[in-house]
Each structure stands twice: as C-alpha cells, then as structure tokens.
Amino acid sequence: MGVLRLLLGDQLSAHISALQGASPNDDTVVMFEVMEECSYVPHHKQKIILFLSAMRHFALELQNKGFTVDYVKLDDKENTGSLTGEIKRALQRHRVTSIAVTEPGEWRIQEMFESWKAHFETPVQILPDTRFFASKERFKRWAERRKIWRMEHFYREMRKEHKVLMNGDKPLGGTWNFDTENRKKLPRDIKIPNRLRHKPDTITKDITRLVSEKFPNNFGSLEGFGWPVTRNQALQSLEHFFEIAFTKFGDYQDSMKEGEIFLFHSLISPSLNIGLLSPREVCEAAELALSEGKVPINAVEGFIRQILGWREYIRGVYWELMPQYASCNSLSGKRSLPEFYWTGVTDLACLREAIGSTHKTAYSHHIQRLMITGNFAALIGVEPRQLERWYLAVYADAIEWVEMPNTLGMALFADGGKMASKPYISSGSYINRMSDFCAGCKYSVQKKNGAEACPFNYLYWGYLIRHESQLAQNPRMAMPYRTLRSWDDETKNTYLHDTEEFLKTL
Ligand code: FAD
Ligand code: SF4
C-alpha cells in the first residue's frame, strides 16, 4: 500500500513537498478539478483556464515520469464538486497508508485539510510549502521581535540571510534600495516590446470550451489567452522578459500608458504562484544577469525586492494575521463596490483603462492595481471585503495569501497600518504624472472642484478630512495634513460637498 498524494492547482512544482519521497510504483497522485474551487468567487475566465490547463499539463508530465495519476475532470459524471468529496471517493478507489498534502495558499483550505484529520481514518500529513525563502515560522520569528512591521526591514534580513545581492555584509552597489531611480515617466517615443504569449494547444482549447459552457457569465474575455501553462513555457517567458524588457523594468516600474498593458513588467506572477517557476531560480537568474553586465543594478534590485521582499513579506503577514485579518476594516468602509468594476463602463479614463486591461488579459500591473482601482476604492470608502473578493476574482495570479494583504493592507489601509506605513492614496496629479490617461478623459485633472474636475482631486481631500482623527498623527501623512490645516472651513466644505455629490452618482 502506498501514499495518496494530493496536488492542488497552485502546487504544480516537481519539488513540491507532497511529492518528496514519492514512489511511482506504490503511490498515487490525485488531482481534482472541482466546482467549489472554480466558483467560490466568480473567477476571470482566463484564470480558470490557466489553473485547469496547467493542472492537466502537469498531470501528463507526472505520468510521463512514471507516476500513477488519478485525475478527476470538472465534467466527470461522478465528480462531487468539492475537494473533500473527491478525497473521500479517492479513498474508496485506492488502498493507502496515508494522505500527503502540502499546506495550501488559503486559510479556508488549511481548515479543510485540518478537518480531514478528524474526518478520515487514514492519517493526513500536512507538509510545509518549502517553495518560499521564508517559512511561516521564520516570518513569525522576525515578526515577534517587532512592534512595527515594515517590508524594508524584513527584506534586508532576507538579503543577508540568503546572501542575495550582497558584497560581504554590505549591500551590492552600496545601497539597499534603488527605488528613487525607479519612478520615471515613459518618454513619448519609447518602444514598448511585444511580449511572448503562448498559443493555446489542444488541452487549453478543450478547457476554453469547458469554461465557455460552465462559466459563460463570469468576468473577463475568453479570447487572447496566452499565459504559460507548462514549466517550459514559463521558462521561455522568463527568458524573453530578461532579453527584451528587464533592463527598463526598474526605470518604468510605476509608469502607465494607454493601450499598453504589460510595459516592462515580468508577467511571472501567475507562473510563480501556481508553481511553474520558483522564486529562488528567478532571483538567481536576475543576479546572474547583473553579474554578466546584461541588466543594470536598479532593475535587478527593484525586481528582487518585489520577490524576496514584498512577496515573502506579504505571505508572512497573511499567515501571521489570519483569520481575523480577513475582516479588518479600520477606516470603516461601507460603500458597495461600484458596478463599473465588473463592466468597465465609466467616464473615468484611468479606471476604464485599468479595468479594461484586466478584462482582456486577467492582468494589470502593480501601479494600476494600487494607484488606480485600489486608490479609487479607498477614496470612496468601499467595504474592504467587497474589493478584496473582486481582486481575488479578476487576476490570473490571485491566490488569497498574496491577494488579501495587498488589498486590505496596501490598497485600503484597512489593517490600520500593520503592513504599510501609510495609505497609498493620491489625487489625479499622481496619475497624470505617471500616465497619459488624463489626456483622453472627460474630466480635467487641472481642476480641483466642480462637475468638470477630476474626481480623484476632491475625493483625495474628502478622504483626508473624513479620516483626520485616524491619520493626522501618521508622520508620513504630515505634509497633506499641514496643507489641510491651512484651509478655512469654507474650502474644506467645498471638497466635502463635491465628494458627496460625486458619491451620489455611483
Ligand atoms: P512585476 O512587476 O514584474 O514584479 C515581479 C514579481 O514580484 C511579481 O511577479 C510578484 O511575484 C512579485 N511582486 C511584486 N509586487 C508584489 C506585491 N506587492 N506582493 C507580492 N508579490 C509582489 N500579486 C499576486 O501575485 N497575486 C495577487 O493576487 C495580487 N493582488 C494584488 C492586489 C493589489 C490590490 C495590489 C496592489 C497588488 C497585488 N499583487 C498581487 C502584487 C502585484 O501587483 C503583482 O504581483 C504584479 O502586478 C504581478 O505582475 P508581474 O509578474 O508583471 O510583476
Ligand atoms: Fe483619472 Fe482624473 Fe486623469 Fe480622468 S482626469 S484619467 S479620472 S486621474
């Protein structure tokens, strides 16, 4: 009798702990496409295609290596629709000594796995996910020593511990952070490279048909799917990014341009998050490119900070603060998410652009998520859980451990600053500085008040006035609050009035 080894859709790595020590002769790998996982939020159609197609490809790779894979498809007649139901059925089909699973990326599934221990007579082993630089325990050790958590401190510790971009005990290049060099606006005549997109093969085409039948009303376009669904494709995409975009990644990391979705970003988050690439190999490749003189240090440091810094930090925050984290709402947001987040139909050109590109590709880059859709939702006071479910649904890379702290902590400041040092909010002038969206907008970014003014302008000040008691003491908010203190009541009331009038239109 062997072991029943369960792999989830975001565990598609040959080195995943659930496969360690596996015997192709005795053990059975089980993989389930279940309706519960495909529908607990209304996922973007391309996100479902990505997960199911990558799962089917990975199952074939394992079979080619000699493993027995018991694979249940979404439309199999006997499919119970849930992971628990499918494990139960698999235990009837296979006589096994134990079930091995790797810890999942969501609190909900972690609880489900824990419940299996009580539910099934067969022992259940929940193994750590070793694909990260920092284990949950490592983050806990770091966090317990501190009252205030900041990514930058954690990142420096990770750099030293894993000897990444280090020159002895000093940071390579003489500084830990090259962020000040990474805020350039795109020159008008800059050439944006075409990105490698992968043509759907038979498996992906079958899944696309299935998704069009089962999820016809979900958000997102079925057309134009091009995400890597195998490790080989993910490696090709990574190499392509290194060749044609990486050198400019740092400079234009925060820029946005109408009609240009990907710019110089790496597009690796879906592959990293489902396991086709490992964060270690990506960081090693980036360091190698630097040492070979192919990519400047501001690009390499900026890129590695996102992966070794932000990605690991975010995961630590999630597991350390769940399950209470999911319901945090420190600024008491109550507003419903505007309908246009689902339709893309709005007069605000920046939101139309960000939501439109999300609809088309299940992707938008960090600044669009943070400073357009996130910023707007923060300024109008959306109920955090509604925005959080939206981000979880619409992006191909969205898995709760990474999506939730980014939404609640970074975009909405709903955790009261546990994770970020200040709210990431701005008026229209930031959006105008970093993009060309305002030129094609019905509103005027120069006007501060009135029906023609850019709504971000008065919403920004309305937000600061509403939340003065919670935010005015934050040293990083000192500047806007100094400005606000110099205003008379009439000026403040104009901003509050414009805010109220705009909110009525939503
Ligand atoms: P690049 O800009 O090329 O960056 C390289 C890699 O760094 C990314 O692939 C990613 O793995 C990592 N990274 C960068 N920023 C972050 C971050 N803030 N947190 C974690 N990892 C980061 N990222 C997800 O992977 N899944 C999500 O569901 C997700 N939801 C987000 C929601 C909001 C509100 C915000 C503000 C950010 C979110 N992010 C999420 C982080 C970030 O926007 C994406 O990782 C990035 O846009 C992915 O595109 P890329 O691969 O081209 O990234
Ligand atoms: Fe967005 Fe305001 Fe610019 Fe319009 S004017 S694109 S609403 S920032």
Side-chain angles (χ1 to χ4, degrees), residues 32-35 70-82 84-90 92-93:
F32 309 131
E33 297 173 0
V34 291
M35 194 45 109
D70 181 350
Y71 193 100
V72 178
K73 291 186 175 173
L74 193 66
D75 50 358
D76 282 352
K77 282 211 172 60
E78 310 291 317
N79 191 331
T80 56
S82 73
T84 303
E86 285 314 295
I87 273 285
K88 224 184 261 179
R89 285 205 314 129
Q92 288 159 6
R93 290 194 296 273

mmCIF file of all heavy atoms in Angstrom, residues 32-35 70-82 84-90 92-93:
data_model
loop_
_atom_site.group_PDB
_atom_site.id
_atom_site.type_symbol
_atom_site.label_atom_id
_atom_site.label_comp_id
_atom_site.label_asym_id
_atom_site.label_seq_id
_atom_site.Cartn_x
_atom_site.Cartn_y
_atom_site.Cartn_z
ATOM 1 N N PHE A 32 -7.750 17.054 -8.588
ATOM 2 C CA PHE A 32 -9.194 17.206 -8.786
ATOM 3 C C PHE A 32 -9.541 18.584 -9.321
ATOM 4 O O PHE A 32 -9.141 19.588 -8.729
ATOM 5 C CB PHE A 32 -9.928 17.053 -7.441
ATOM 6 C CG PHE A 32 -9.551 15.819 -6.660
ATOM 7 C CD1 PHE A 32 -9.225 15.936 -5.306
ATOM 8 C CD2 PHE A 32 -9.524 14.560 -7.245
ATOM 9 C CE1 PHE A 32 -8.880 14.814 -4.559
ATOM 10 C CE2 PHE A 32 -9.179 13.434 -6.499
ATOM 11 C CZ PHE A 32 -8.853 13.563 -5.155
ATOM 12 N N GLU A 33 -10.304 18.614 -10.397
ATOM 13 C CA GLU A 33 -10.915 19.883 -10.830
ATOM 14 C C GLU A 33 -12.296 19.916 -10.195
ATOM 15 O O GLU A 33 -13.131 19.068 -10.529
ATOM 16 C CB GLU A 33 -11.072 19.899 -12.353
ATOM 17 C CG GLU A 33 -9.763 19.827 -13.112
ATOM 18 C CD GLU A 33 -9.975 19.678 -14.634
ATOM 19 O OE1 GLU A 33 -11.146 19.638 -15.082
ATOM 20 O OE2 GLU A 33 -8.970 19.582 -15.348
ATOM 21 N N VAL A 34 -12.527 20.817 -9.248
ATOM 22 C CA VAL A 34 -13.840 20.800 -8.577
ATOM 23 C C VAL A 34 -14.538 22.154 -8.675
ATOM 24 O O VAL A 34 -13.908 23.197 -8.645
ATOM 25 C CB VAL A 34 -13.733 20.369 -7.090
ATOM 26 C CG1 VAL A 34 -13.351 18.919 -6.966
ATOM 27 C CG2 VAL A 34 -12.781 21.264 -6.304
ATOM 28 N N MET A 35 -15.877 22.074 -8.779
ATOM 29 C CA MET A 35 -16.682 23.283 -8.980
ATOM 30 C C MET A 35 -16.538 24.254 -7.814
ATOM 31 O O MET A 35 -16.506 25.467 -8.020
ATOM 32 C CB MET A 35 -18.151 22.862 -9.178
ATOM 33 C CG MET A 35 -19.028 23.929 -9.710
ATOM 34 S SD MET A 35 -18.280 24.831 -11.095
ATOM 35 C CE MET A 35 -19.214 24.288 -12.458
ATOM 36 N N ASP A 70 -4.309 9.872 -10.696
ATOM 37 C CA ASP A 70 -5.759 9.714 -10.752
ATOM 38 C C ASP A 70 -6.331 11.122 -10.860
ATOM 39 O O ASP A 70 -6.316 11.887 -9.897
ATOM 40 C CB ASP A 70 -6.212 9.007 -9.461
ATOM 41 C CG ASP A 70 -7.705 8.764 -9.432
ATOM 42 O OD1 ASP A 70 -8.418 9.300 -10.312
ATOM 43 O OD2 ASP A 70 -8.165 8.052 -8.523
ATOM 44 N N TYR A 71 -6.784 11.470 -12.048
ATOM 45 C CA TYR A 71 -7.163 12.861 -12.345
ATOM 46 C C TYR A 71 -8.674 12.953 -12.559
ATOM 47 O O TYR A 71 -9.227 12.269 -13.426
ATOM 48 C CB TYR A 71 -6.422 13.329 -13.600
ATOM 49 C CG TYR A 71 -6.481 14.821 -13.816
ATOM 50 C CD1 TYR A 71 -5.417 15.637 -13.457
ATOM 51 C CD2 TYR A 71 -7.611 15.424 -14.351
ATOM 52 C CE1 TYR A 71 -5.470 17.015 -13.635
ATOM 53 C CE2 TYR A 71 -7.681 16.802 -14.532
ATOM 54 C CZ TYR A 71 -6.596 17.589 -14.173
ATOM 55 O OH TYR A 71 -6.654 18.952 -14.341
ATOM 56 N N VAL A 72 -9.344 13.777 -11.793
ATOM 57 C CA VAL A 72 -10.796 13.946 -11.956
ATOM 58 C C VAL A 72 -11.056 15.269 -12.670
ATOM 59 O O VAL A 72 -10.640 16.326 -12.196
ATOM 60 C CB VAL A 72 -11.508 13.928 -10.581
ATOM 61 C CG1 VAL A 72 -13.008 14.143 -10.755
ATOM 62 C CG2 VAL A 72 -11.235 12.614 -9.849
ATOM 63 N N LYS A 73 -11.750 15.175 -13.811
ATOM 64 C CA LYS A 73 -12.036 16.398 -14.582
ATOM 65 C C LYS A 73 -13.332 17.044 -14.105
ATOM 66 O O LYS A 73 -14.201 16.373 -13.532
ATOM 67 C CB LYS A 73 -12.143 16.058 -16.068
ATOM 68 C CG LYS A 73 -10.807 15.662 -16.668
ATOM 69 C CD LYS A 73 -10.941 15.473 -18.163
ATOM 70 C CE LYS A 73 -9.565 15.192 -18.758
ATOM 71 N NZ LYS A 73 -9.633 14.827 -20.167
ATOM 72 N N LEU A 74 -13.449 18.337 -14.397
ATOM 73 C CA LEU A 74 -14.589 19.115 -13.920
ATOM 74 C C LEU A 74 -15.923 18.509 -14.383
ATOM 75 O O LEU A 74 -16.905 18.502 -13.645
ATOM 76 C CB LEU A 74 -14.466 20.561 -14.435
ATOM 77 C CG LEU A 74 -15.382 21.585 -13.806
ATOM 78 C CD1 LEU A 74 -15.053 21.797 -12.332
ATOM 79 C CD2 LEU A 74 -15.275 22.926 -14.543
ATOM 80 N N ASP A 75 -15.942 17.984 -15.610
ATOM 81 C CA ASP A 75 -17.215 17.477 -16.119
ATOM 82 C C ASP A 75 -17.334 15.955 -16.014
ATOM 83 O O ASP A 75 -18.214 15.355 -16.635
ATOM 84 C CB ASP A 75 -17.458 17.956 -17.556
ATOM 85 C CG ASP A 75 -16.271 17.701 -18.468
ATOM 86 O OD1 ASP A 75 -15.250 17.178 -17.966
ATOM 87 O OD2 ASP A 75 -16.372 18.035 -19.674
ATOM 88 N N ASP A 76 -16.464 15.308 -15.209
ATOM 89 C CA ASP A 76 -16.652 13.871 -14.974
ATOM 90 C C ASP A 76 -17.989 13.661 -14.246
ATOM 91 O O ASP A 76 -18.309 14.409 -13.311
ATOM 92 C CB ASP A 76 -15.505 13.315 -14.109
ATOM 93 C CG ASP A 76 -14.237 13.098 -14.936
ATOM 94 O OD1 ASP A 76 -14.313 13.230 -16.183
ATOM 95 O OD2 ASP A 76 -13.179 12.817 -14.337
ATOM 96 N N LYS A 77 -18.726 12.635 -14.674
ATOM 97 C CA LYS A 77 -20.097 12.445 -14.151
ATOM 98 C C LYS A 77 -20.150 12.282 -12.633
ATOM 99 O O LYS A 77 -21.038 12.773 -11.964
ATOM 100 C CB LYS A 77 -20.721 11.219 -14.824
ATOM 101 C CG LYS A 77 -21.216 11.484 -16.220
ATOM 102 C CD LYS A 77 -22.429 10.610 -16.547
ATOM 103 C CE LYS A 77 -23.028 11.011 -17.870
ATOM 104 N NZ LYS A 77 -22.068 10.870 -18.989
ATOM 105 N N GLU A 78 -19.169 11.549 -12.103
ATOM 106 C CA GLU A 78 -19.218 11.235 -10.664
ATOM 107 C C GLU A 78 -18.646 12.349 -9.793
ATOM 108 O O GLU A 78 -18.670 12.248 -8.566
ATOM 109 C CB GLU A 78 -18.405 9.954 -10.377
ATOM 110 C CG GLU A 78 -18.720 8.770 -11.281
ATOM 111 C CD GLU A 78 -20.103 8.228 -11.006
ATOM 112 O OE1 GLU A 78 -20.449 8.119 -9.823
ATOM 113 O OE2 GLU A 78 -20.835 7.945 -11.974
ATOM 114 N N ASN A 79 -18.084 13.368 -10.405
ATOM 115 C CA ASN A 79 -17.407 14.437 -9.655
ATOM 116 C C ASN A 79 -18.369 15.058 -8.630
ATOM 117 O O ASN A 79 -19.439 15.537 -8.981
ATOM 118 C CB ASN A 79 -16.919 15.514 -10.647
ATOM 119 C CG ASN A 79 -15.989 16.531 -10.014
ATOM 120 O OD1 ASN A 79 -16.076 16.817 -8.826
ATOM 121 N ND2 ASN A 79 -15.095 17.069 -10.809
ATOM 122 N N THR A 80 -17.951 15.042 -7.359
ATOM 123 C CA THR A 80 -18.829 15.562 -6.293
ATOM 124 C C THR A 80 -18.777 17.072 -6.208
ATOM 125 O O THR A 80 -19.569 17.686 -5.495
ATOM 126 C CB THR A 80 -18.364 15.024 -4.924
ATOM 127 O OG1 THR A 80 -16.983 15.378 -4.757
ATOM 128 C CG2 THR A 80 -18.538 13.525 -4.805
ATOM 129 N N GLY A 81 -17.780 17.704 -6.828
ATOM 130 C CA GLY A 81 -17.703 19.169 -6.839
ATOM 131 C C GLY A 81 -16.900 19.764 -5.700
ATOM 132 O O GLY A 81 -16.719 20.973 -5.639
ATOM 133 N N SER A 82 -16.412 18.926 -4.764
ATOM 134 C CA SER A 82 -15.616 19.515 -3.675
ATOM 135 C C SER A 82 -14.369 18.672 -3.422
ATOM 136 O O SER A 82 -14.337 17.468 -3.725
ATOM 137 C CB SER A 82 -16.432 19.588 -2.382
ATOM 138 O OG SER A 82 -16.571 18.297 -1.828
ATOM 139 N N THR A 84 -13.170 17.764 -0.533
ATOM 140 C CA THR A 84 -13.453 16.746 0.494
ATOM 141 C C THR A 84 -14.187 15.557 -0.137
ATOM 142 O O THR A 84 -13.841 14.396 0.103
ATOM 143 C CB THR A 84 -14.285 17.364 1.644
ATOM 144 O OG1 THR A 84 -13.553 18.464 2.173
ATOM 145 C CG2 THR A 84 -14.561 16.362 2.741
ATOM 146 N N GLY A 85 -15.179 15.868 -0.964
ATOM 147 C CA GLY A 85 -15.936 14.794 -1.621
ATOM 148 C C GLY A 85 -15.027 13.940 -2.493
ATOM 149 O O GLY A 85 -15.147 12.705 -2.531
ATOM 150 N N GLU A 86 -14.103 14.575 -3.182
ATOM 151 C CA GLU A 86 -13.215 13.839 -4.091
ATOM 152 C C GLU A 86 -12.163 13.018 -3.332
ATOM 153 O O GLU A 86 -11.802 11.920 -3.768
ATOM 154 C CB GLU A 86 -12.563 14.795 -5.085
ATOM 155 C CG GLU A 86 -13.510 15.260 -6.163
ATOM 156 C CD GLU A 86 -14.315 14.098 -6.750
ATOM 157 O OE1 GLU A 86 -13.715 13.202 -7.378
ATOM 158 O OE2 GLU A 86 -15.542 14.070 -6.557
ATOM 159 N N ILE A 87 -11.692 13.525 -2.211
ATOM 160 C CA ILE A 87 -10.748 12.737 -1.411
ATOM 161 C C ILE A 87 -11.467 11.490 -0.879
ATOM 162 O O ILE A 87 -10.935 10.379 -0.916
ATOM 163 C CB ILE A 87 -10.171 13.580 -0.237
ATOM 164 C CG1 ILE A 87 -8.950 14.347 -0.704
ATOM 165 C CG2 ILE A 87 -9.809 12.748 0.956
ATOM 166 C CD1 ILE A 87 -7.684 13.493 -0.888
ATOM 167 N N LYS A 88 -12.699 11.687 -0.454
ATOM 168 C CA LYS A 88 -13.491 10.564 0.056
ATOM 169 C C LYS A 88 -13.613 9.480 -1.021
ATOM 170 O O LYS A 88 -13.383 8.307 -0.782
ATOM 171 C CB LYS A 88 -14.885 11.091 0.417
ATOM 172 C CG LYS A 88 -15.412 10.568 1.751
ATOM 173 C CD LYS A 88 -16.817 11.055 1.985
ATOM 174 C CE LYS A 88 -16.811 12.264 2.898
ATOM 175 N NZ LYS A 88 -18.150 12.804 3.151
ATOM 176 N N ARG A 89 -13.949 9.920 -2.232
ATOM 177 C CA ARG A 89 -14.098 8.942 -3.331
ATOM 178 C C ARG A 89 -12.767 8.289 -3.656
ATOM 179 O O ARG A 89 -12.687 7.100 -3.912
ATOM 180 C CB ARG A 89 -14.628 9.650 -4.591
ATOM 181 C CG ARG A 89 -16.085 9.994 -4.517
ATOM 182 C CD ARG A 89 -16.737 10.128 -5.874
ATOM 183 N NE ARG A 89 -15.988 10.912 -6.838
ATOM 184 C CZ ARG A 89 -15.701 10.490 -8.070
ATOM 185 N NH1 ARG A 89 -16.093 9.297 -8.471
ATOM 186 N NH2 ARG A 89 -15.014 11.269 -8.887
ATOM 187 N N ALA A 90 -11.683 9.090 -3.625
ATOM 188 C CA ALA A 90 -10.363 8.525 -3.953
ATOM 189 C C ALA A 90 -9.969 7.471 -2.930
ATOM 190 O O ALA A 90 -9.353 6.452 -3.281
ATOM 191 C CB ALA A 90 -9.324 9.638 -4.001
ATOM 192 N N GLN A 92 -11.905 5.474 -1.541
ATOM 193 C CA GLN A 92 -12.624 4.231 -1.878
ATOM 194 C C GLN A 92 -11.954 3.505 -3.048
ATOM 195 O O GLN A 92 -11.982 2.288 -3.155
ATOM 196 C CB GLN A 92 -14.082 4.543 -2.233
ATOM 197 C CG GLN A 92 -14.912 4.938 -1.017
ATOM 198 C CD GLN A 92 -16.164 5.732 -1.400
ATOM 199 O OE1 GLN A 92 -16.484 5.896 -2.575
ATOM 200 N NE2 GLN A 92 -16.866 6.216 -0.383
ATOM 201 N N ARG A 93 -11.317 4.271 -3.940
ATOM 202 C CA ARG A 93 -10.682 3.662 -5.122
ATOM 203 C C ARG A 93 -9.308 3.096 -4.819
ATOM 204 O O ARG A 93 -8.850 2.187 -5.479
ATOM 205 C CB ARG A 93 -10.527 4.703 -6.247
ATOM 206 C CG ARG A 93 -11.802 5.138 -6.903
ATOM 207 C CD ARG A 93 -11.537 5.889 -8.199
ATOM 208 N NE ARG A 93 -10.818 7.137 -8.037
ATOM 209 C CZ ARG A 93 -11.387 8.312 -7.781
ATOM 210 N NH1 ARG A 93 -12.699 8.382 -7.674
ATOM 211 N NH2 ARG A 93 -10.665 9.403 -7.649
#
